[in-house]
Amino acid sequence: VQLVESGGGLVQPGGSLRLSCATSGIDFDDYGIGWFRQAIGKEREGISAIAISNDEYDGDIYYADSVKGRFTISTDNAKKSVYLDMKSLKPEDTAVYYCALDPEGPEIGSLYYTPDPREYRYWGQGTQVTVSS
């Protein structure tokens, strides 16, 4: 399994960016793709996730409160790429952003779900997002 992020960069406060996560080598029927971020001196934070499966849970989505209403997660039709559209960016969004895969069919649509980095087995290399004027 390979995950490759792209799309990071420097953006002014209030601006927008689209992060992409290109996936390959996936051989699971039911898995989750999550977006995490880690700022300097802080713990890795799960900010969004999407379920990919062959059942009614396909497309279930999670957003952390810190990004809800500003970030949107989506996939392409082939479900080979996962995107994170970020708008109204704030300086506190500055971090390295990672996409990751949980192969155990996480219940992303559950009311109590939060992405746990320990459950995501495969990780990309990360892409830096800096929000600054």
Side-chain angles (χ1 to χ4, degrees):
V1 175
Q2 283 194 320
L3 306 168
V4 180
E5 303 96 336
S6 61
L10 173 64
V11 63
Q12 292 187 343
S16 301
L17 277 178
R18 168 177 261 207
L19 303 184
S20 299
C21 175
T23 71
S24 61
I26 295 175
D27 192 23
F28 309 110
D29 293 328
D30 184 6
Y31 58 96
I33 298 288
W35 283 99
F36 294 78
R37 66 185 182 187
Q38 189 163 19
I40 294 174
K42 295 189 175 181
E43 292 187 354
R44 191 164 295 190
E45 175 191 13
I47 57 172
S48 187
I50 188 166
I52 298 176
S53 67
N54 296 320
D55 58 25
E56 65 268 30
Y57 303 109
D58 183 53
D60 282 350
I61 287 174
Y62 165 87
Y63 295 107
D65 287 343
S66 58
V67 306
K68 198 173 294 183
R70 300 188 299 124
F71 291 11
T72 302
I73 192 170
S74 62
T75 68
D76 65 354
N77 288 338
K79 300 180 182 178
K80 295 294 187 183
S81 292
V82 178
Y83 308 103
L84 188 68
D85 288 292
M86 309 185 294
K87 65 179 183 179
S88 302
L89 284 162
K90 307 173 183 179
E92 52 264 43
D93 293 317
T94 295
V96 178
Y97 283 69
Y98 301 89
C99 65
L101 186 149
D102 178 351
E104 300 296 331
E107 296 182 355
I108 290 172
S110 167
L111 183 63
Y112 305 103
Y113 178 79
T114 55
D116 183 344
R118 297 169 297 180
E119 296 177 351
Y120 282 74
R121 191 182 305 171
Y122 304 96
W123 290 81
Q125 80 289 352
T127 185
Q128 176 71 46
V129 172
T130 302
V131 185
S132 175
S133 54

